[in-house]
Amino acid sequence: MLRRDSVSLFQFKRLLQTIEKLEGRGTELVTLYVPPDKSISDVINYLRQEYATAANIKSKQTRKNVQDAIESAIQRLKLFNNPGPTGLVIFSGAIPQNSGQTSKIEVYHLIPPEPITTFLYRCDSKFLVEPLKDLLREKAVYGVLVIDNEEAAVAIVKGRSISQLKTYTSGVPGKHHAGGQSARRFERLREMTLNEFYKRVAEKANELFLQYPEMKGVIIAGPGPTKELFAQGDYLHYTLRDKIHIVDTSYSGESGVREAIAKSADFLKEVRMIEEQRLIQRLMNEATRVDGLAVYGEKQVLDALQKNMVELLLISEDLDRVELKIKCQNCGYETVLTLDSSEMQAEIPKKLAEKCLVCGNNSLGLSDTRLLIDKLIEEADKLGVKVELISSEHEEGEMFKKAFKGIAGILRHRGGY
């Protein structure tokens, strides 16, 4: 079963993105979804029948590719005794190579993060990945509404981001300080205008929040008593009223939304963004202490990892660095460097044109490339170091990417750092 940690989900999504981009000629790519309650032997028998049916395909090349894809799917199925608790998904097919001049059978299997419920077999020009993408969609959705008598803001908190944030102004004048009948009339008009403002905000909030029937809660916040008046009134849709969580904030508008979220961490504990914000805050606390346990910088983090001093490794999902190994074809001397992917096209030819530092020959060649994020995860996995991948879709994640270059760690102890 797929672990629901950030690394496993990141790797699952990345593989799914790779598979989604693949295309075949005609309807030659086989997609197979096997639910947990389906026996492997029954699925193999089903595929044998499809193999026989494919013999009727008129095009010799198409017939061969489809049958090869089915046979490859069968061989992959034989590696499993059962589909497992969440099922099994296999993608198999002839993928064009060398600008379409040749093709190669490629086979992938994925363990879904949640159980699949329906058996599915399909031949098409692309692999069917939508059901798996649906499983990955964030389930924890919350609404936020921040309001006072001057302005309001509504937003959605989902997964790793705040989205659909909109602000509204009331246009309501301040309280009238003159006395007499004029003041009472002014107050009545003001109350009517406020009520219309509340209705207008509620209409926009209902329109937004009801798009998410799975919504787990609604935070109503603000700096004064308006939020309680709004929450107690019949403004929000009745299906949302028992999901309300009230929070005091110092601000309204967009700033109030962010403050309300920060003050509702326990209420929003299922939202991944909250966990990532806590991790970045922990890193910042350690980084600002004289004897803090933070380590950052590409070389420093790798060095600390290799010395097994890292307790927690934080990596930006958007880390776009590549590790290159350059080897001398004459003497075997090897050097390693990392570059941003955008630098590779210009920098690799320059590096390969240099003379070997050991033998002096112009015989340098590129022996290996891999993403730095993969290297870091692999090194951490060897040592049992916990890894958390941080999205840059929220402010703290973007700050982590810029200020720490997307790589940092929390040390077990200071040691020589």
Side-chain angles (χ1 to χ4, degrees):
M1 183 175 180
L2 181 72
R3 294 176 299 162
R4 292 293 303 193
D5 60 80
S6 62
V7 173
S8 296
L9 288 175
F10 169 75
Q11 292 170 335
F12 185 91
K13 289 175 188 175
R14 194 169 63 175
L15 180 54
L16 204 57
Q17 289 167 356
T18 299
I19 292 169
E20 186 177 21
K21 292 174 185 174
L22 299 175
E23 291 190 39
R25 297 191 189 92
T27 55
E28 298 179 355
L29 304 187
V30 169
T31 298
L32 184 68
Y33 282 69
V34 185
D37 58 355
K38 191 85 168 172
S39 78
I40 295 294
S41 58
D42 285 349
V43 179
I44 289 175
N45 288 336
Y46 179 89
L47 291 180
R48 290 288 184 210
Q49 293 172 15
E50 290 295 331
Y51 185 95
T53 302
N56 298 319
I57 297 173
K58 292 180 180 179
S59 166
K60 181 180 177 181
Q61 189 60 52
T62 302
R63 179 170 66 249
K64 180 182 184 306
N65 286 343
V66 171
Q67 289 186 322
D68 285 351
I70 293 172
E71 185 58 41
S72 296
I74 289 171
Q75 295 308 313
R76 184 59 58 94
L77 275 172
K78 288 180 178 179
L79 299 176
F80 299 88
N81 295 321
N82 58 68
T86 61
L88 178 64
V89 180
I90 293 177
F91 302 103
S92 177
I95 305 301
Q97 314 283 318
N98 304 319
S99 302
Q101 296 176 13
T102 60
S103 63
K104 175 188 173 186
I105 294 291
E106 295 185 15
V107 187
Y108 304 86
H109 75 266
L110 294 176
I111 309 299
E114 294 178 18
I116 53 177
T117 57
T118 307
F119 174 75
L120 181 143
Y121 167 86
R122 194 175 88 163
C123 266
D124 208 332
S125 59
K126 296 196 77 175
F127 293 122
L128 178 65
V129 299
E130 281 304 321
L132 290 179
K133 289 170 72 175
D134 286 340
L135 292 181
L136 289 173
R137 290 196 173 97
E138 295 288 349
K139 307 290 190 298
V141 181
Y142 293 83
V144 184
L145 190 155
V146 182
I147 188 167
D148 64 11
N149 287 343
E150 295 180 4
E151 64 178 339
V154 294
I156 294 294
V157 180
K158 181 181 179 184
R160 295 166 149 192
S161 62
I162 303 167
S163 63
Q164 295 173 272
L165 195 158
K166 291 189 172 68
T167 57
Y168 308 94
T169 53
S170 68
V172 178
K175 290 191 175 182
H176 192 69
H177 295 293
Q181 191 173 356
S182 175
R184 289 193 293 274
R185 185 167 58 250
F186 179 88
E187 275 306 310
R188 282 198 300 273
L189 289 171
R190 184 174 181 276
E191 286 172 11
M192 288 173 59
T193 309
L194 276 174
N195 188 50
E196 289 304 312
F197 172 57
Y198 297 163
K199 285 182 178 178
R200 178 161 57 94
V201 171
E203 182 184 347
K204 298 298 183 181
N206 288 330
E207 184 182 319
L208 175 60
F209 296 164
L210 293 175
Q211 292 175 27
Y212 301 90
E214 74 276 27
M215 183 168 284
K216 290 181 175 287
V218 176
I219 298 168
I220 296 183
T226 304
K227 59 184 176 295
E228 282 89 357
L229 293 171
F230 185 90
Q232 291 161 10
D234 292 334
Y235 296 107
L236 283 184
H237 193 270
Y238 73 93
T239 59
L240 300 170
R241 288 177 205 154
D242 62 348
K243 300 177 180 181
I244 289 173
H245 176 72
I246 297 178
V247 178
D248 282 311
T249 59
S250 303
Y251 303 98
S252 56
E254 184 173 339
S255 298
V257 168
R258 301 190 187 283
E259 186 185 357
I261 291 168
K263 288 187 171 182
S264 305
D266 289 340
F267 184 66
L268 298 170
K269 58 188 175 183
E270 293 182 54
V271 177
R272 173 63 187 175
M273 179 181 70
I274 299 300
E275 177 60 23
E276 292 185 4
Q277 288 174 339
R278 281 178 176 154
L279 290 167
I280 298 304
Q281 188 57 55
R282 181 184 171 192
L283 173 67
M284 292 296 295
N285 290 342
E286 294 293 346
T288 53
R289 282 173 46 199
V290 175
D291 59 345
L293 297 174
V295 60
Y296 44 91
E298 193 174 299
K299 291 181 180 178
Q300 291 88 337
V301 171
L302 278 167
D303 184 50
L305 261 181
Q306 287 157 5
K307 291 177 179 175
N308 199 15
M309 292 177 62
V310 178
E311 176 190 312
L312 173 66
L313 178 62
L314 303 177
I315 311 172
S316 173
E317 275 193 354
D318 294 332
L319 183 64
D320 194 21
R321 300 274 286 168
V322 181
E323 182 189 76
L324 310 171
K325 287 186 179 177
I326 295 175
K327 188 174 183 179
C328 176
Q329 310 300 317
N330 181 56
C331 71
Y333 167 75
E334 191 173 72
T335 186
V336 176
L337 72 152
T338 55
L339 297 171
D340 289 340
S341 62
S342 59
E343 300 174 318
M344 290 175 64
Q345 190 171 356
E347 293 299 320
I348 290 176
K350 290 181 188 177
K351 193 67 183 176
L352 298 183
E354 293 176 4
K355 292 182 179 181
C356 174
L357 294 176
V358 175
C359 69
N361 287 341
N362 290 102
S363 51
L364 297 179
L366 190 62
S367 64
D368 188 31
T369 63
R370 65 168 167 169
L371 295 173
L372 182 60
I373 193 169
D374 290 337
K375 176 181 178 173
L376 289 165
I377 290 170
E378 184 182 314
E379 291 292 326
D381 194 47
K382 285 178 189 174
L383 298 165
V385 174
K386 183 173 176 56
V387 179
E388 292 285 358
L389 291 171
I390 307 296
S391 168
S392 56
E393 290 182 31
H394 49 83
E395 283 185 7
E396 290 79 1
E398 183 66 22
M399 181 276 295
F400 171 65
K401 180 185 171 186
K402 289 180 179 177
F404 294 90
K405 306 299 183 185
I407 308 172
I410 306 292
L411 298 170
R412 303 181 200 276
H413 53 83
R414 279 296 333 160
Y417 286 83

